[in-house]
Amino acid sequence: MFAWLEPEMAPKAETKTLEASAPEPPSPPAAEEKPDLSHVWVVAAEIEVTPKVAKIADYRGSFKAVEGQRVDALEVYCKGCRRPYDEVRGDDCAAKIDNRHLIGGDQSTRAKRKIPVPPKNARVVPGGSIQRRGIGAYMSGVSRPPR
């Protein structure tokens, strides 16, 4: 009746002798998967649509084309590295190898922006502080047009 109150009997563990267990042969090293460096080709297209479809495409950013509709390809390029098909047809995708070319090179070695130098006869006049937050900013016209 109260079997759940009684301690469970642990099963007897079997002991293995060193002589009985044979050493397992070493497993072969796992084959490393090569990363996929291929390009993902996309086409910039020109499709003629009706005014209704144009309205839907403008609002949603996409539309459904009709079956058998002819599509004129304006440009074929890689989605990752943004380079034309003719230039990188047989090469690996540069964006999958190193994406620095899309952000303007190595950021640590790039030159910093230069601060413009004022003309020789110019005088710098300190301005007042601008309230950008709170009710003062709202009333002064920072977040809304002045009246």
Side-chain angles (χ1 to χ4, degrees):
M1 181 168 164
F2 297 105
W4 54 274
L5 289 176
E6 296 175 14
E8 293 183 19
M9 298 292 286
K12 293 181 181 178
E14 296 180 18
T15 58
K16 293 183 178 179
T17 60
L18 294 176
E19 296 173 13
S21 62
E24 295 181 20
S27 60
E32 295 182 20
E33 294 182 20
K34 293 182 181 178
D36 181 24
L37 300 176
S38 61
H39 292 278
V40 177
W41 300 112
V42 293
V43 176
E46 188 173 271
I47 302 171
E48 189 174 324
V49 294
T50 62
K52 181 180 177 182
V53 174
K55 182 178 177 182
I56 293 170
D58 182 51
Y59 178 73
R60 294 188 180 195
S62 65
F63 65 96
K64 292 184 179 180
V66 296
E67 185 179 345
Q69 185 175 14
R70 179 144 178 100
V71 178
D72 297 326
L74 300 176
E75 184 180 7
V76 179
Y77 60 94
C78 176
K79 188 175 184 179
C81 64
R82 306 272 186 197
R83 293 189 175 141
Y85 178 78
D86 295 339
E87 291 180 12
V88 293
R89 176 177 32 226
D91 303 334
D92 292 335
C93 182
K96 292 181 180 177
I97 297 170
D98 186 12
N99 212 10
R100 289 187 195 161
H101 73 284
L102 293 176
I103 57 172
D106 187 9
Q107 299 294 310
S108 64
T109 59
R110 215 166 88 179
K112 302 297 179 191
R113 290 193 177 103
K114 296 178 183 175
I115 299 173
V117 179
K120 290 181 183 179
N121 57 357
R123 190 174 68 164
V124 178
V125 179
S129 63
I130 300 172
Q131 179 64 27
R132 298 183 190 276
R133 294 190 175 94
I135 191 71
Y138 178 76
M139 298 304 289
S140 66
V142 173
S143 61
R144 63 172 181 76
R147 291 187 179 220

